[in-house]
Amino acid sequence: MARYVIGLDYGTDCVSTLVVNADTGECVATSVKYFSRWKKGLYCNPKINQWRQHPKDYLDALEESVKEVLSQCASGVSEEVVGIAFGTTGSTPAFTDETGTPLAMLPEFSDNPNAMFMLWKDHTAIMEAEEINILCKKWSVDYSKYVGGKYNAEWFWAKAMHVLREDDSVATKAYSIVECCEWLPAVLTGVNDAKNVVHSRCAYGHKAMWNKEWGGLPSEDFFVVLDPRLATLRSRLLTTKAETAEKPVGTLCIEWAERLGLSTDVVVAGGAYDCHMGAVGAGVKPNTLVRVIINSTCDVMVAPYEQIGDKCVNGICGQVDGSVIPGMLGLEAGQSCFGDVYAMFRRVLEFPLTHILPKVLCDKLTQHEITKIIDDACSNIIVNLTKEAEKIPASESTIMATDWINGRRSPDANPSLKGTMCGFTLDTNAPQIFRAIVEATAYGTKAIVDRFESEGIRIDEVISIGSFLLMTPFVMQTMCDVINKPIKISNTDHACALGAAIFAATAAGCYSKVEDAMQVMNNGFAKEYHPIAANVDIYDKLYKRYVKIGEFTEKELFH
C-alpha cells in the first residue's frame, strides 16, 4: 500500500502544496493559493519598507490548499497520508500571547501590523540591526560570527526590538515570539502553550544567533544591554534546544485533522525555512550551490564538518549545524532582490498604460475592454523586453547597474544600500536597460560565488530552483556566463514544497534519514546551461566595472 506525504511551501505571496508518493517521489496533486489580505496590499507600507502578513492568511490558505490537493487525488489517498511538513519564508516572526497565539489573532490587535508576522523583506529594523552589530563587536563573545559577522535588519531580534520600541500596546501584551515555520506545526499539533512550541534549528541558528558554542541563544545579559524587554522574551523561549526539521513535533490534533480531512495519525514534521527545504528538494550535496530564485534569492550549500572545521565563513547569512541536512553544516547567502528588480522595472514601464491609456480610450471602448488591453500589455512587457534584450551582444552592454534595489544581503549585508545605474546615452532604450538589470542580478550572483570560494568553499555546479518565469534561457545563460559555472534547472517549480515533503516522509518513518528520502523523491533536472567562452571573457571585464561602481555607490552615496 502506497504512503503519501504533504509538503507546503509558504512563500511571499502564496502557499504551494504538494501531495507526493513517499515511496516513488511522484507528485500526484498540486495547489497554489494566494494570501488574500496580502494580495490587497493590506498592512504593508512600501515607503518605509514595512511588509507584514496576517496569520489568518496563513491558516485560510492552509485549509484551502490541502483540501484542494486532496480533492484532486484518487479515492483513498487521504487515508494513506502519513506526514506533513512546512517550509516558510524567514525570518518571519510574530509576537504571541501565553498560548502561543499570534497577537493579530486577538480581536484588539486584528488590524495592527505590529501584531502580525513580519515578512522576511521587512526592513524597518535597520537601526536596531546596527545596534546589535555594535554590541556584538564589543561583547566578550561575538554572537554574529556564524551569521557572516553582520546581523541583518531582516532578522529575528532586530525586528522584535523595533516593534517593542514602536508599539507599547504590543510590547505590553507580548509574552513570547515565534517564527512562522515554528507556528504552523504548533497549530496543527494543537499546541496551546507558548513554552511548548518546538523551535527550529534552521530559523534559530540562521536568524536568532543560536549556537551550541555558547549554549543556545545569546546570553540574557547581552539582551539586557540591548533592551531589557528582549531579555524577558528570551527567558520564555527554550534557549538551549533547537530541533532539526526531520524530527516529528507531534501528530495532527483532532480539530485540524477534521478541517483538513486527514487522520490524527498524520505526523507533523519540524519546520524550516523554505529555501533550505528547497535545497533538499533540488538534491543539494557538498560543493553544489542551490539558488532559490524568486522575489529574492537564497543561496544554500551543505558542507561536511571536516571541510569547515572551526572556520567562520565571512560575509554570508549563516552557517548552522543541521539547518539543511542533519549531520552537515548548512550555509546560506542570498540577494535581497532578484525577481523584485524585474517587477520594479515593469511597474515603471506600466505607468503610461495604467495612467494614460484609460483616459485616451475611455470614449472608444468599454471599461472591460480597456482593462483587458492593459492587462494583456502589462503581462507581455517582460516577455518582449527579454526577446529584444537577448539580441544585444554581451560586447555591446554599455549600461551598468547594481542589484541593490532592496539593499544587499550577501556578501556583507547592508540593507541601507540603493540600486544605481550608469552609462546612459541618447541612444539608450528599454531593452538595453533591461539587459543591464539582468546582468546586475548575475553580477550579484558572482559576488556570492566568489565569496564562498575565497573562503575555501569549492563550488563545482549550481542548481537553480524557483519561479520558471524568472529562470528564462536569457537570464540563466547570462548568469552562467558571468559566474563561469554550469547551471542545472530543477525539474519542478515546486522544489521547496517537495523538500518539505521529503522532510515529512523522513519524520513519518518512511526513511531513516533525509539523504535516503532525497535519493528516491528527487525529481531530477529539466535543463543544463554551460558557459559560452567568448561571453565569459567579456563579462569578466564588465564585472570589474560592477565592483568599482558598487564600491563608489556604497562609500560615496550611501555611506
Side-chain angles (χ1 to χ4, degrees):
M1 189 174 293
R3 297 171 293 181
Y4 296 91
V5 289
I6 297 175
L8 296 103
D9 166 30
Y10 274 75
T12 299
D13 307 310
C14 62
V15 58
S16 299
T17 306
L18 304 182
V19 176
V20 181
N21 185 321
D23 299 309
T24 66
E26 177 192 4
C27 176
V28 297
T30 307
S31 168
V32 176
K33 291 293 180 184
Y34 288 86
F35 304 136
S36 59
R37 296 165 186 82
W38 170 265
K39 198 171 183 179
K40 295 175 184 177
L42 300 179
Y43 314 119
C44 297
N45 186 347
K47 290 182 179 179
I48 60 171
N49 281 315
Q50 174 184 295
W51 303 98
R52 309 291 166 82
Q53 290 183 325
H54 204 293
K56 288 185 178 179
D57 262 355
Y58 297 159
L59 298 185
D60 291 347
L62 166 62
E63 187 168 359
E64 291 170 8
S65 65
V66 171
K67 285 182 176 178
E68 182 170 272
V69 288
L70 291 176
S71 72
Q72 299 170 19
C73 297
S75 176
V77 168
S78 60
E79 288 81 4
E80 303 304 327
V81 172
V82 296
I84 187 169
F86 297 91
T88 76
T89 61
S91 180
T92 304
F95 289 105
T96 76
D97 63 10
E98 292 90 339
T99 69
T101 300
L103 297 186
M105 298 290 285
L106 307 179
E108 64 268 35
F109 293 102
S110 61
D111 289 316
N112 185 341
N114 290 325
M116 300 174 189
F117 281 95
M118 294 165 263
L119 191 64
W120 62 270
K121 67 178 182 178
D122 189 296
H123 281 180
T124 53
I126 289 175
M127 290 177 59
E128 289 78 7
E130 188 56 29
E131 287 183 47
I132 292 172
N133 282 314
I134 291 171
L135 188 59
C136 280
K137 301 311 177 189
K138 293 180 179 178
W139 206 255
S140 57
V141 177
D142 183 358
Y143 294 119
S144 70
K145 65 187 289 188
Y146 292 113
V147 292
K150 192 167 186 180
Y151 202 75
N152 195 310
E154 296 178 357
W155 297 348
F156 190 84
W157 294 115
K159 289 176 173 176
M161 187 159 56
H162 176 77
V163 170
L164 289 174
R165 291 175 174 178
E166 183 178 73
D167 195 321
D168 287 338
S169 64
V170 169
T172 300
K173 184 66 176 179
Y175 176 83
S176 188
I177 185 169
V178 67
E179 281 274 2
C180 181
C181 69
E182 300 168 340
W183 179 63
L184 288 166
V187 168
L188 289 197
T189 53
V191 171
N192 56 15
D193 186 335
K195 293 180 180 177
N196 292 334
V197 172
V198 175
H199 293 294
S200 162
R201 176 75 61 85
C202 180
Y204 254 29
H206 280 281
K207 307 300 185 259
M209 298 187 289
W210 182 97
N211 197 279
K212 290 180 180 178
E213 182 177 312
W214 42 79
L217 294 175
S219 71
E220 184 175 344
D221 290 344
F222 177 82
F223 289 115
V224 168
V225 174
L226 278 174
D227 191 313
R229 291 170 295 188
L230 287 181
T232 301
L233 283 173
R234 178 198 179 278
S235 70
R236 295 168 181 163
L237 297 171
L238 189 60
T239 61
T240 60
K241 202 168 185 181
E243 301 289 0
T244 50
E246 89 291 1
K247 294 182 179 178
V249 302
T251 56
L252 283 181
C253 65
I254 293 174
E255 177 193 352
W256 277 95
E258 291 177 350
R259 289 175 69 168
L260 301 178
L262 295 169
S263 163
T264 54
D265 293 329
V266 173
V267 172
V268 182
Y273 288 156
D274 51 358
C275 296
H276 296 76
M277 286 187 164
V280 169
V284 68
K285 60 183 183 292
N287 303 317
T288 295
L289 175 69
V290 177
R291 306 210 79 216
V292 185
I293 298 177
I294 36 179
N295 304 75
S296 63
T297 77
C298 189
D299 300 314
V300 178
M301 298 188 71
V302 294
Y305 301 134
E306 59 270 19
Q307 182 178 359
I308 303 294
D310 296 329
K311 181 179 179 60
C312 292
V313 182
N314 186 46
I316 64 172
C317 298
Q319 59 186 82
V320 179
D321 184 8
S323 65
V324 184
I325 296 177
M328 292 189 192
L329 286 170
L331 307 171
E332 178 196 341
Q335 290 167 273
S336 293
C337 213
F338 196 98
D340 278 348
V341 184
Y342 305 153
M344 176 276 298
F345 189 51
R346 171 179 154 165
R347 286 195 304 273
V348 171
L349 298 182
E350 283 177 353
F351 181 85
L353 295 172
T354 58
H355 290 73
I356 300 174
L357 193 60
K359 298 174 183 177
V360 174
L361 297 178
C362 64
D363 296 329
K364 302 173 185 177
L365 299 172
T366 66
Q367 184 59 48
H368 175 74
E369 290 171 328
I370 294 171
T371 300
K372 187 178 187 307
I373 289 171
I374 293 172
D375 288 347
D376 288 347
C378 289
S379 64
N380 279 289
I381 287 175
I382 298 298
V383 173
N384 283 278
L385 280 174
T386 298
K387 289 179 181 178
E388 295 303 314
E390 62 187 348
K391 294 177 184 177
I392 303 170
S395 59
E396 294 181 15
S397 290
T398 56
I399 306 293
M400 180 65 65
T402 61
D403 54 312
W404 304 332
I405 306 298
N406 193 34
R408 184 180 64 222
R409 183 182 298 160
S410 302
D412 305 317
N414 188 341
S416 299
L417 289 175
K418 305 292 188 295
T420 50
M421 189 174 291
C422 62
F424 287 87
T425 71
L426 290 176
D427 190 48
T428 298
N429 56 41
Q432 289 173 334
I433 297 173
F434 181 69
R435 183 178 183 103
I437 291 172
V438 171
E439 290 171 344
T441 57
Y443 296 144
T445 305
K446 179 173 172 57
I448 291 169
V449 169
D450 286 358
R451 176 57 61 89
F452 272 124
E453 295 197 323
S454 69
E455 292 287 312
I457 312 298
R458 193 180 81 246
I459 297 175
D460 295 333
E461 65 178 3
V462 176
I463 298 173
S464 286
I465 64 175
S467 172
F468 281 175
L469 296 176
L470 294 172
M471 294 190 295
T472 65
F474 172 53
V475 172
M476 288 296 102
Q477 187 61 59
T478 300
M479 186 188 302
C480 182
D481 294 343
V482 168
I483 66 175
N484 193 22
K485 294 184 185 295
I487 299 177
K488 294 179 178 178
I489 307 300
S490 176
N491 202 27
T492 174
D493 55 353
H494 297 296
C496 295
L498 178 59
I502 288 171
F503 278 97
T506 308
C510 301
Y511 298 93
S512 60
K513 58 182 181 178
V514 171
E515 295 96 312
D516 294 341
M518 289 170 61
Q519 189 70 30
V520 174
M521 298 175 68
N522 180 262
N523 284 178
F525 305 103
K527 190 171 184 177
E528 184 169 352
Y529 292 88
H530 295 274
I532 298 171
N535 288 344
V536 169
D537 292 338
I538 292 168
Y539 282 128
D540 186 58
K541 296 181 178 69
L542 291 175
Y543 178 71
K544 292 181 175 64
R545 290 174 57 191
Y546 165 86
V547 171
K548 290 181 180 178
I549 292 168
E551 289 173 349
F552 174 81
T553 298
E554 188 163 10
K555 292 177 181 178
E556 303 298 332
L557 301 183
F558 301 108
H559 179 65

